[in-house]
């Protein structure tokens, strides 16, 4: 297990304390989320790996839900790949081993509220990396060989990519990194966990509302209405 940036280590310890409190209060564990893994974010924050937060079932949206973001500071939407693990990923696992642990895939849409300065690594992780809600598309047994994404608002294209791993990093590496980070805090990446692996396009401002749809080739689509 490689050394962990002290900022990430401190933030992860606080994030896991928050998670423990949330679970004790009645929420059910779902999995984990990855953030700030794009090359530009890693360079800007002087990081060697992405940041890790947690997911719980109470933050999962259903198709057709309407989310009011009028009280949020800076609401954004992220289009992501969700990896559903069939077996655990241990600390020190190779990227290939981590990737082989995935039994199903889906498209995911995350809503986040950037309510802290985006340059304080410890505070960002401790606050669960701005996470507010997540919505999943149907699961597929395999990841398409060619995966492209598009994001539309009210039927008009807003963003797209045919190279999603340019922003997230190679997904096997991402999952292995999550396992290593969690291990430093005494947690682990377990069978049944769902991991949203980071936004495949730059986060999109949704403060203006609208009907939003994320479409991923071979994985389907998922949408939410923002008021």
């Amino acid at each position: 297990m490689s050394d962990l940036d002290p900022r990430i280590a401190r933030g992860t310890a606080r994030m896991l304390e928050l998670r423990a409190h949330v679970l004790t209060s009645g929420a059910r564990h779902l999995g984990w989320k990855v953030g700030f893994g794009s090359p530009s974010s890693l360079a800007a924050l002087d990081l060697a790996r992405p940041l890790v937060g947690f997911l719980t079932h109470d933050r999962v949206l259903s198709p057709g839900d309407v989310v009011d973001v009028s009280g949020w500071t800076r609401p954004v939407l992220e289009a992501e790949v969700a990896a559903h693990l069939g077996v655990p990923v241990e600390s020190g696992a190779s990227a290939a081993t981590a990737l082989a642990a995935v039994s199903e895939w889906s498209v995911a849409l995350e809503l986040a509220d950037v309510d802290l300065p985006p340059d304080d690594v410890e505070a960002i992780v401790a606050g669960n990396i701005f996470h507010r809600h997540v919505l999943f598309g149907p699961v597929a047994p395999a990841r398409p060989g060619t995966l492209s994404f598009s994001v539309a608002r009210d039927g008009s294209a807003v963003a797209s990519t045919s190279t999603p791993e340019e922003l997230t990093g190679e997904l096997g590496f991402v999952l292995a990194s999550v396992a290593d980070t969690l291990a430093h805090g005494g947690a682990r990446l377990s069978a049944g966990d769902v991991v949203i692996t980071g936004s495949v396009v730059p986060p999109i401002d949704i403060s203006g509302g609208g009907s939003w749809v994320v479409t991923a080739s071979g994985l389907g689509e998922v949408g939410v209405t923002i008021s």
Side-chain angles (χ1 to χ4, degrees):
M1 185 164 54
S2 60
D3 292 338
L4 192 63
D5 184 306
R7 298 169 298 169
I8 298 180
R10 293 190 301 267
T12 299
R14 292 170 59 189
M15 177 272 291
L16 291 173
E17 289 177 359
L18 173 63
R19 173 179 174 271
H21 173 73
V22 168
L23 296 180
T24 300
S25 300
R28 290 189 298 124
H29 170 73
L30 173 61
W32 308 95
K33 65 157 288 176
V34 178
F36 289 81
S38 68
S40 61
S41 294
L42 294 174
L45 296 175
D46 191 24
L47 297 172
R49 67 176 69 199
L51 310 179
V52 180
F54 67 91
L55 303 176
T56 52
H57 282 274
D58 59 305
R59 297 299 182 101
V60 178
L61 298 172
S62 299
D65 279 352
V66 177
V67 180
D68 180 1
V69 300
S70 59
W72 296 19
T73 301
R74 183 188 160 206
V76 298
L77 177 151
E78 298 188 355
E80 309 201 19
V81 177
H84 303 247
L85 299 185
V87 297
V89 179
E90 304 296 343
S91 176
S94 68
T97 297
L99 201 60
V102 182
S103 59
E104 295 177 315
W105 300 88
S106 63
V107 59
L109 182 161
E110 183 185 16
L111 300 181
D113 184 16
V114 185
D115 58 353
L116 294 169
D119 56 1
D120 187 333
V121 172
E122 180 179 345
I124 290 168
V125 181
N128 205 25
I129 322 179
F130 310 126
H131 177 70
R132 294 298 179 268
H133 297 289
V134 65
L135 181 61
F136 298 100
V139 296
R143 183 175 53 152
T146 301
L147 186 57
S148 61
F149 276 76
S150 64
V151 181
R153 176 192 181 194
D154 297 331
S156 298
V158 172
S160 64
T161 181
S162 58
T163 54
E165 288 178 300
E166 283 190 356
L167 277 193
T168 63
E170 192 276 319
L171 294 186
F173 163 79
V174 171
L175 294 171
S177 175
V178 171
D180 283 348
T181 298
L182 292 177
H184 276 278
R188 70 194 302 252
L189 202 49
S190 302
D193 284 354
V194 182
V195 183
I196 54 174
T197 54
S199 191
V200 301
V201 296
I204 299 169
D205 182 355
I206 54 171
S207 58
S211 178
W212 294 85
V213 176
V214 175
T215 303
S217 59
L219 292 179
E221 65 179 36
V222 62
V224 67
T225 298
I226 304 298
S227 68

